[in-house]
């Protein structure tokens, strides 16, 4: 069908006396004819457009469709109870789940294999080297492994969510579309390394065609061409890009499979243990800070660093919300600890031996990276406001950790949905409300201090006001911690009675 569609794009010879303009003719003006009377077609451009369309469709179908099928399959297994039966198998979880990873999307793999001859022929006809096309296949295969692994983990933890397959595949589609158009020049470009479509621009560039003639909207932005990671130019060429993406996929897939193995073998346990969470955070901070290291002379360099700092805080905010979910103990686990240790150790120890203490240690680890970055990268006038905004953000993270445990103890039905709702409210609602208020009043800047995005106003607000807000946050955090202690004590008392 694609070939028929592209055939219809060629000029048609209705009346030889009427001049025709077509993008696939060799000239920009009227189409020329050869000695026999046929139009002279720019076949390289025609094959390049066909190759580009096939590449994009292949990425979308394999990633979006594969993620949907895997999450749907796991959701069905959990509903029917067959997954618990499979867990009794003596085979290690990576063998069983790898079988699903290869077997569930097998129909998509068959379609992809059938399309490879046409895709390969189109690429070679467009004068793209075989080596570059093979790099695209490697990039796509690594992307499939990463996204499918993520889908398996999501399918294991979202058994109670009926629309999980649509949610997962929709998120992948949104991600691919977002990385198709977004050019930020910040560490957000790290996310671009997860999109196999990034390499298509490199392949088309190798044809030496005028990129203006490629179908509009097909080519991706070239933001990675100039992106550095610790002074290593990631997008210098296709080989650099593929190597960077493979390393990125490998490390991220490793952490995902650590969580999968724990979740599959012991569903009641946390997705990561304490040591794994510390190592994961060190890996995360090392990666994202590398994207903020600016090389060479950049206009408004210093202004750009505070710009990078805001993205650093946002990425850390999202990472810590994920860590809270990964480390969240089950209600049964907290209940067992409270009953077992009731009367043997102070209730404060039970609170701090849970996710709260792990989050505090992780915040300390993140501080080593972020405070060092602030001290060495920002202007003197920006350092104190940046440290204040970091402290306020940390208070919100601790608040979310305490609230998560309270919800886990108090709400039995679908606590994950409640926790996700609270995270969404804390993350998204303040931005919407404050932007709406800003239309009616310009004097609402102090309200930003009550959000995780305090960096917006810390530079223009007095330190007295900031300290008052921080003391209020600590007071609320203390009250929430007391409530958590009360809930744990109540569970322990009920067992003793």
């Amino acid at each position: 069908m694609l070939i028929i569609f592209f055939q219809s794009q060629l000029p048609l010879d209705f009346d030889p006396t009427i001049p025709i303009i077509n993008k696939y003719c060799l000239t920009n003006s009227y189409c020329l004819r050869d000695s026999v009377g046929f139009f002279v077609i720019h076949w390289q451009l025609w094959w390049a457009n066909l190759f580009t369309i096939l590449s994009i469709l292949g990425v979308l179908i394999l990633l979006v469709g594969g993620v949907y099928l895997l999450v749907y399959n796991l959701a069905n297994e959990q509903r029917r109870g067959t997954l618990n039966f499979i867990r009794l198998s003596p085979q290690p979880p990576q063998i069983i789940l790898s079988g699903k990873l290869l077997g569930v999307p097998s129909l998509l793999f068959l379609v992809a294999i059938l399309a490879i001859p046409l895709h390969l022929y189109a690429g070679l006809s467009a004068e793209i080297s075989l080596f570059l096309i093979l790099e695209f296949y490697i990039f796509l295969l690594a992307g499939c492994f990463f996204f499918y692994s993520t889908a398996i983990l999501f399918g294991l933890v979202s058994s109670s969510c009926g629309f999980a397959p649509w949610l997962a595949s929709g998120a992948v589609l949104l991600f691919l579309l977002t990385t198709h158009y977004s050019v930020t020049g910040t560490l957000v470009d790290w996310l671009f390394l997860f999109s196999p479509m990034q390499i298509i621009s490199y392949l088309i560039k190798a044809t030496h065609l005028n990129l203006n003639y490629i179908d509009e909207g097909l080519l991706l932005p070239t933001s990675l061409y100039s992106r550095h990671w610790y002074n290593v130019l990631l997008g210098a060429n296709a080989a650099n890009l593929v190597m960077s993406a493979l390393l990125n996929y490998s490390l991220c897939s490793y952490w995902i499979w650590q969580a999968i193995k724990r979740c599959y073998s012991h569903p009641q346990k946390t997705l990561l243990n304490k040591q794994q969470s510390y190592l994961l955070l060190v890996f995360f901070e090392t990666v994202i800070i590398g994207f903020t290291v600016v090389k060479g002379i950049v206009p408004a360099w210093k202004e750009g660093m505070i710009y990078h700092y805001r993205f650093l805080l946002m990425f850390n905010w999202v990472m810590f919300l994920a860590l809270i979910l990964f480390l969240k103990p089950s209600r049964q686990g907290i209940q067992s600890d409270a009953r077992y240790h009731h009367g043997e150790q102070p209730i404060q120890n039970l609170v701090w031996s849970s996710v709260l203490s792990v989050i505090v240690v992780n915040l300390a680890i993140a501080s080593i990276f972020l405070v060092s970055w602030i001290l060495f990268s920002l202007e003197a006038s920006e350092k104190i406001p940046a440290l204040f905004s970091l402290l306020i953000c940390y208070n919100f993270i601790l608040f979310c950790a305490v609230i998560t445990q309270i919800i886990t103890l108090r709400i039995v039905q679908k606590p994950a949905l409640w926790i996700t709702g609270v995270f969404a409210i804390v993350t998204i609602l303040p931005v919407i409300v404050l932007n709406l208020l800003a239309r009616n009043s310009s004097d609402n800047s102090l309200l930003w201090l009550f959000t995780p995005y305090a960096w917006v106003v810390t530079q223009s607000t007095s330190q007295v006001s900031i300290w008052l807000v921080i003391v209020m946050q600590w007071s609320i955090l203390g009250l929430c911690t007391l409530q958590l202690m009360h809930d744990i004590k109540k569970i322990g008392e009920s067992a003793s009675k």
Side-chain angles (χ1 to χ4, degrees):
M1 290 182 65
L2 268 178
I3 291 180
I4 294 173
F5 171 76
F6 274 92
Q7 286 283 355
S8 68
Q9 302 295 307
L10 295 173
L12 296 176
D13 192 8
F14 293 111
D15 186 349
T17 61
I18 301 176
I20 296 177
I21 298 177
N22 187 282
K23 64 179 178 181
Y24 290 117
C25 290
L26 275 177
T27 59
N28 293 330
S29 57
Y30 299 119
C31 294
L32 301 177
R33 297 171 184 270
D34 57 16
S35 57
V36 188
F38 292 112
F39 288 111
V40 180
I41 302 298
H42 195 338
W43 288 110
Q44 185 191 6
L45 176 63
W46 188 83
W47 283 112
N49 272 328
L50 178 60
F51 174 83
T52 308
I53 288 282
L54 269 176
S55 302
I56 292 175
L57 286 178
V59 172
L60 291 176
I61 291 173
L62 281 175
L63 296 190
V64 179
V67 165
Y68 176 86
L69 291 175
L70 280 167
V71 177
Y72 180 77
N73 178 269
L74 285 171
N76 268 347
E77 295 266 19
Q78 303 238 35
R79 271 196 296 271
R80 294 198 300 258
T82 51
L83 193 60
N84 289 330
F85 180 74
I86 297 174
R87 282 191 173 103
L88 299 176
S89 167
Q91 293 290 337
Q94 49 267 44
I95 298 294
I96 296 173
L97 294 176
S98 296
K100 281 198 172 293
L101 190 145
L102 293 173
V104 174
S106 56
L107 189 60
L108 296 180
F109 292 150
L110 178 62
V111 173
I113 291 172
L114 292 176
I116 281 179
L118 175 61
H119 184 262
L120 200 57
Y121 184 79
L124 294 175
S125 300
E127 300 183 13
I128 301 172
S129 73
L130 180 61
F131 182 70
L132 280 177
I133 299 175
L134 292 179
E135 284 185 338
F136 170 73
Y137 292 154
I138 293 172
F139 201 151
L140 182 55
L141 283 175
C144 286
F145 180 75
F146 169 76
F147 281 98
Y148 291 177
S149 301
T150 309
I152 287 176
L153 178 61
F154 184 73
L156 290 174
V157 300
S158 62
S159 57
S160 60
C161 185
F163 58 91
W166 293 106
L167 181 65
S169 55
V172 173
L173 179 62
L174 181 63
F175 167 76
L176 292 174
L177 294 177
T178 303
T179 53
H180 189 92
Y181 293 106
S182 299
V183 181
T184 64
T186 67
L187 62 88
V188 175
D189 292 343
W190 169 45
L191 302 178
F192 282 41
L193 285 179
F194 291 97
S195 173
M197 288 200 286
Q198 286 294 321
I199 197 175
I200 297 176
S201 294
Y202 291 80
L203 271 59
I204 299 302
K205 189 180 177 184
T207 62
H208 303 293
L209 288 169
N210 187 341
L211 299 184
N212 294 327
Y213 293 123
I214 303 298
D215 281 347
E216 187 178 356
L218 295 184
L219 287 184
L220 294 166
T222 55
S223 61
L224 282 178
Y225 287 171
S226 58
R227 290 303 299 158
H228 289 81
W229 186 76
Y230 290 111
N231 293 334
V232 176
L233 189 55
L234 298 181
N237 49 54
N240 272 20
L241 179 67
V242 173
M243 291 297 295
S244 307
L246 291 182
L247 182 62
N248 196 42
Y249 279 141
S250 303
L251 293 173
C252 293
S253 298
Y254 167 78
W255 289 112
I256 289 171
W257 276 95
Q258 295 302 312
I260 287 174
K261 283 192 285 186
R262 284 178 64 87
C263 181
Y264 178 82
S265 303
H266 307 285
Q268 298 301 325
K269 285 190 175 181
T270 57
L271 293 181
L272 294 175
N273 61 32
K274 296 178 184 178
Q275 291 77 17
Q276 287 174 331
S277 73
Y278 304 150
L279 292 174
L280 174 61
L281 191 68
V282 170
F283 159 74
F284 175 75
E285 299 293 347
T286 306
V287 169
I288 64 171
I289 285 181
F291 282 91
T292 65
V293 177
V294 181
K295 183 183 179 182
I297 300 173
V298 179
W301 188 83
K302 286 296 180 183
E303 288 80 358
M305 296 313 287
I306 191 66
Y307 186 67
H308 283 302
Y309 172 68
R310 293 168 181 173
F311 281 97
L312 270 178
L313 274 190
M314 288 174 63
F315 270 65
N316 271 278
W317 170 252
V318 174
M319 181 64 190
F320 271 98
L321 292 186
L323 274 180
I324 291 171
L325 292 176
F326 285 179
L327 298 168
K328 178 183 72 64
S330 64
R331 175 187 169 85
Q332 186 179 356
I334 300 175
Q335 204 168 22
S336 300
D337 285 343
R339 288 175 176 176
Y340 182 75
H341 295 291
H342 179 70
E344 296 181 2
Q345 59 175 298
I347 200 71
Q348 293 90 335
N349 292 352
L350 288 176
V351 173
W352 286 98
S353 64
S354 59
V355 64
L356 204 55
S357 63
V358 187
I359 293 298
V360 169
V361 175
N362 276 303
L363 287 175
I365 294 173
S367 299
I368 296 173
F369 290 90
L370 295 177
V371 172
S372 303
W373 189 91
I374 290 171
L375 296 179
F376 288 105
S377 301
L378 296 182
E379 292 276 12
S381 60
E382 297 169 341
K383 290 176 182 175
I384 298 300
L387 291 173
F388 273 128
S389 61
L390 182 65
L391 181 58
I392 291 174
C393 188
Y394 277 12
N395 289 338
F396 271 99
I397 291 170
L398 288 174
F399 172 76
C400 288
V402 175
I403 288 294
T404 298
Q405 291 211 45
I406 292 176
I407 291 175
T408 304
L409 287 175
R410 291 193 166 202
I411 299 177
V412 180
Q413 297 293 327
K414 300 181 179 179
L417 284 180
W418 284 92
I419 293 169
T420 306
V422 169
F423 286 0
I425 290 173
V426 176
T427 305
I428 300 172
L429 192 62
V431 179
I432 298 174
V433 172
L434 290 177
N435 278 298
L436 289 175
L437 290 176
R439 295 183 178 181
N440 302 320
S441 170
S442 59
D443 192 23
N444 58 5
S445 59
L446 284 178
L447 294 178
W448 284 101
L449 296 175
F450 296 91
T451 72
Y453 318 105
W455 70 74
V456 176
V457 293
T458 48
Q459 205 161 5
S460 58
T461 308
S462 69
Q463 292 191 9
V464 176
S465 302
I466 296 174
W467 275 115
L468 282 175
V469 171
I470 291 174
V471 170
M472 288 176 63
Q473 286 183 324
W474 286 344
S475 302
I476 296 172
L477 188 59
L479 291 174
C480 292
T481 307
L482 287 175
Q483 184 61 53
L484 176 61
M485 291 165 59
H486 175 265
D487 289 350
I488 294 178
K489 185 180 178 182
K490 193 175 178 182
I491 289 178
E493 286 176 349
S494 64
S496 65
K497 291 174 184 175

